[in-house]
Amino acid sequence: MVIDFHTHCFPNKISNKAIDILSKKSGNILPEHMGDVDSLRSKIKQMGADMAVVQNISTNPKQQSSVNDYAIRINQFENLVSFGSVHPDSPDALAELERIKESGLKGIKFHPDYQGFFVDEKKMIPLYEKAAELGLITLFHSGVDIGYPDPIHCTPKALRSVLHYFYGAPVVAAHMGGWLCWAGVLEHLVGEDIYFDTAYSHAKMPPEWALEIINSHPKQKILLGSDMPWSRTDNEISFIKSLGLSTEHENMILGENAEKLLGLNK
């Protein structure tokens, strides 16, 4: 099974607007699907993935509940797993984490740049500890975001400094541990109890860097990701296959690791 662990889609009524805004913010990058859930599901299948994980983001406190309502709704689709999100400035964030867990969602996404916090801020600690208590997977956008390049809100060093607040609950650092911060990934995150997804690597990350990170980190903690619609799933699969890994290692990255992490093989 091939699982794309890092994708995005939006409610139908705002999908066109959301895609347009995000595309322009990122230098008019061309999206690889239309923005809605049906388009995502169709495209990932065409591109060689059996399943996608949708990483939803609550970009302001007022939309937190509606973002998670959407996440819960699309989690019912075949071949989709949907993550929720909480906004750190919402007074209901801790209660919302409980609702996310009770609804059957397996994880949450934080995007420190979009949500306006630094990953090592003290106000985040109760949220990290609650997510860990609930056994949720926590995925962070890590490193540079091309729409918000400075300051970097989640550096590899800062992310390492908060890992102990998760008490061993799963944490994923997107974009091979930190987009454009790969020297920092090697220095601060490689070998730690953390997963990396490979999102947005094809034609953007030097293969030598990718290979060094992958070969230096536990084999079971690398997950295929694309960042669809911003990078094609099939291109990201091809990137992994180009690295000369063993078949066993390659299969772990392309789906087996995610299958175990998500509990799909039980």
Side-chain angles (χ1 to χ4, degrees):
M1 178 182 290
V2 175
I3 300 174
D4 187 338
F5 202 85
H6 191 142
T7 71
H8 302 284
C9 62
F10 309 94
N12 291 355
K13 65 181 180 180
I14 67 164
S15 60
N16 290 338
K17 181 179 179 181
I19 287 288
D20 185 57
I21 290 172
L22 290 169
S23 175
K24 288 178 179 176
K25 186 71 177 175
S26 302
N28 278 340
I29 186 172
L30 295 177
E32 298 292 345
H33 70 75
M34 299 299 293
D36 60 281
V37 66
D38 291 334
S39 178
L40 170 64
R41 294 177 69 214
S42 174
K43 286 289 187 178
I44 61 156
K45 186 175 182 180
Q46 292 172 22
M47 294 179 185
D50 301 293
M51 178 172 288
V53 181
V54 180
Q55 302 292 345
N56 298 289
I57 307 167
S58 175
T59 57
N60 66 67
K62 292 182 179 179
Q63 69 171 198
Q64 175 180 267
S65 180
S66 61
V67 165
N68 290 318
D69 288 344
Y70 175 70
I72 293 165
R73 187 164 67 251
I74 66 171
N75 197 51
Q76 308 305 313
F77 281 97
E78 184 181 6
N79 297 338
L80 278 191
V81 173
S82 182
F83 278 24
S85 183
V86 294
H87 196 283
D89 295 329
S90 169
D92 303 320
L94 292 174
E96 190 70 3
L97 284 171
E98 292 184 353
R99 184 169 83 100
I100 286 169
K101 177 66 175 182
E102 291 167 1
S103 73
L105 299 184
K106 294 179 181 292
I108 57 170
K109 177 171 182 178
F110 285 117
H111 197 308
D113 301 287
Y114 286 6
Q115 295 180 305
F117 69 91
F118 288 92
V119 71
D120 53 354
E121 283 188 57
K122 289 184 179 180
K123 72 176 182 179
M124 300 303 300
I125 294 171
L127 296 177
Y128 300 160
E129 292 179 332
K130 187 66 174 181
E133 175 191 326
L134 295 169
L136 293 169
I137 303 164
T138 302
L139 182 141
F140 289 94
H141 172 89
S142 184
V144 174
D145 184 279
I146 58 176
Y148 298 84
D150 190 49
I152 302 171
H153 287 78
C154 181
T155 65
K157 183 178 181 180
L159 182 53
R160 186 186 66 177
S161 75
V162 300
L163 289 180
H164 63 283
Y165 293 115
F166 291 91
Y167 305 104
V171 177
V172 182
H175 308 295
M176 208 71 84
W179 201 64
L180 295 183
C181 296
W182 298 305
V185 174
L186 284 164
E187 181 178 357
H188 299 292
L189 288 179
V190 158
E192 296 291 331
D193 186 14
I194 189 170
Y195 291 81
F196 303 149
D197 80 30
T198 68
Y200 212 66
S201 294
H202 174 263
K204 302 169 188 73
M205 182 179 189
E208 293 82 3
W209 278 105
L211 198 56
E212 185 172 2
I213 289 171
I214 288 171
N215 283 334
S216 302
H217 201 59
K219 288 184 177 181
Q220 70 272 22
K221 291 188 178 292
I222 308 288
L223 310 164
L224 172 72
S226 67
D227 211 8
M228 275 279 281
W230 310 118
S231 184
R232 293 174 61 94
T233 299
D234 51 0
N235 284 345
E236 299 296 344
I237 292 171
S238 295
F239 180 72
I240 297 302
K241 289 186 173 182
S242 76
L243 297 176
L245 302 169
S246 69
T247 300
E248 177 190 12
H249 199 174
E250 195 175 275
N251 288 339
M252 291 172 73
I253 293 171
L254 294 181
E256 291 175 4
N257 291 339
E259 194 173 1
K260 290 178 183 178
L261 177 59
L262 295 168
L264 302 177
N265 54 353
K266 293 180 179 179

